[in-house]
Amino acid sequence: MDMLNSTQHFLIIAWWLAFGISVLLYIALDGADLGAGIFSLFVRDHDERGAIMSAMAGTWDANETWLIVAGGIMFGTFPFVYGSAFSYLMVPMALVLWGIMSRAVALEFRHLASPFWQKFSDGIFGVASLAVTFFGGMSVGALLQGFQMDSPAQGVPTYVGGAFSFISAFSIWTGVASCVAMTLAGVLFVRARFEKNEPIRQDAARWTAVIFWLAIAAVVITWVWSAVIFDWARAKWFGPHFWIWGLFGLIALVCIDQVRRDTLKDKDFAAVMWFNGAAFILGFGMLLTMFPWIVPGTWTIWAGASPQVSLITFTMTMGGFVPVMLMYNWYQIWVFRGRISKLVGHGGH
């Protein structure tokens, strides 16, 4: 019995980590695509907007797969959390889903459309990218605040709040902060994917100089606000093991400084990698801060996990897919690593 309990605890932690890493990989990979879509709203040249779509045409669908993986892990290993959290976030998640589908339609069918509908697709692509980023970030902020559930004597607790309970000053802020951070990821992506003499790359370079500092300000404000309103975060960040979280912050600062240095030296791919490193460190630090909560104040990973038999079955069925996905993601990035020009505009010819 003790061995079975140990196996259960090990699998719960392993899938909790897999869930967190899947979310962070989605943010790192598709975040650049989303940020480039937001940036495209300010690009006036028709061919340049099409070229932004072409720059991500070979990888965007694989990048979004990590969001599906995260949802699958949540459904398969933390079904109680899945059911209640998606009831809580039904409205913003519906808007995120609309944005994801609209971006896909714009990317896939732009080259088949007339000039008018190509322009329309460009607008939809940019607005949908903004919607996914804002409402996705807002959902994260809402989850950090937790949500209300009933306490039945028997059965599974369920969400009892309203459809718009997710709205708060903090969740709105996390939506705005997400847009700022992803826009930085997007302009770094554009810089890395376009030839250095392309006007759009030069525009992205000018944007970087401003968005970089706005993103740092957004991170600092979010950290301070979280420390003020979340007891569980404050207890760890300023508790007896504060040096661990200080180490996370120091490593993130090193990565952020390298982003600044590499952008000034036009080392665009390196800047993208350092940015993703900073995002991963900060995100993983927050994941560990939340432990053992998966939804702070509402669900721990122990209370929300599947029964033992279901968890073992899920692991045996799905465990091998994660390394395969990592390999093909890296292969796609390597294949499509070359720079392009606006002459490859998606549907421009």
Side-chain angles (χ1 to χ4, degrees), residues 31-323:
D33 297 345
L34 292 168
I38 295 172
F39 174 65
S40 73
L41 290 170
F42 302 90
V43 174
R44 295 289 173 257
D45 187 279
H46 175 80
D47 291 331
E48 288 181 343
R49 291 195 301 270
I52 289 175
M53 294 188 185
S54 289
M56 63 185 72
T59 57
W60 70 269
D61 46 354
N63 297 340
E64 289 188 344
T65 304
W66 289 105
L67 188 62
I68 298 173
V69 170
I73 292 173
M74 178 69 76
F75 177 79
T77 59
F78 302 103
F80 307 132
V81 183
Y82 180 93
S84 57
F86 276 84
S87 296
Y88 172 49
L89 299 175
M90 185 178 297
V91 173
M93 285 291 99
L95 293 169
V96 167
L97 182 60
W98 169 85
I100 290 173
M101 292 188 298
S102 299
R103 289 178 75 240
V105 171
L107 278 161
E108 294 293 347
F109 292 101
R110 183 184 193 268
H111 67 287
L112 301 175
S114 66
F116 171 80
W117 288 109
Q118 284 186 355
K119 187 175 181 180
F120 179 79
S121 295
D122 293 346
I124 290 294
F125 174 70
V127 171
S129 298
L130 183 63
V132 172
T133 306
F134 177 77
F135 289 107
M138 196 174 182
S139 297
V140 172
L143 281 177
L144 291 176
Q145 292 184 294
F147 51 84
Q148 295 178 325
M149 294 193 302
D150 60 5
S151 301
Q154 294 180 340
V156 178
T158 57
Y159 174 63
V160 294
F164 298 98
S165 297
F166 69 94
I167 299 175
S168 68
F170 182 76
S171 66
I172 292 172
W173 165 251
T174 54
V176 172
S178 296
C179 291
V180 173
M182 292 306 99
T183 301
L184 175 58
V187 294
L188 290 175
F189 171 80
V190 170
R191 288 179 58 146
R193 291 292 280 123
F194 282 83
E195 297 288 350
K196 291 190 176 182
N197 61 349
E198 285 289 313
I200 188 173
R201 185 194 171 278
Q202 296 168 12
D203 289 342
R206 286 191 289 270
W207 271 61
T208 305
V210 177
I211 296 295
F212 175 82
W213 297 108
L214 290 178
I216 291 177
V219 170
V220 172
I221 292 171
T222 304
W223 177 77
V224 172
W225 199 336
S226 298
V228 170
I229 66 175
F230 299 135
D231 293 339
W232 50 268
R234 190 167 58 251
K236 287 191 176 180
W237 291 342
F238 303 104
H241 302 292
F242 68 93
W243 61 271
I244 297 176
W245 315 108
L247 187 60
F248 272 99
L250 181 62
I251 296 173
L253 282 176
V254 171
C255 293
I256 291 168
D257 185 60
Q258 281 298 131
V259 173
R260 182 185 64 85
R261 291 174 183 271
D262 286 336
T263 54
L264 293 176
K265 296 176 182 178
D266 281 345
K267 295 181 178 179
D268 299 318
F269 183 74
V272 170
M273 296 305 293
W274 282 113
F275 173 84
N276 286 336
F280 192 89
I281 289 296
L282 291 172
F284 194 70
M286 179 56 80
L287 190 69
L288 293 179
T289 300
M290 292 168 58
F291 184 84
W293 297 105
I294 192 168
V295 178
T298 304
W299 283 110
T300 65
I301 63 173
W302 318 115
S306 291
Q308 183 169 292
V309 174
S310 299
L311 194 58
I312 292 174
T313 303
F314 182 81
T315 302
M316 294 175 63
T317 306
M318 303 301 297
F321 283 94
V322 174

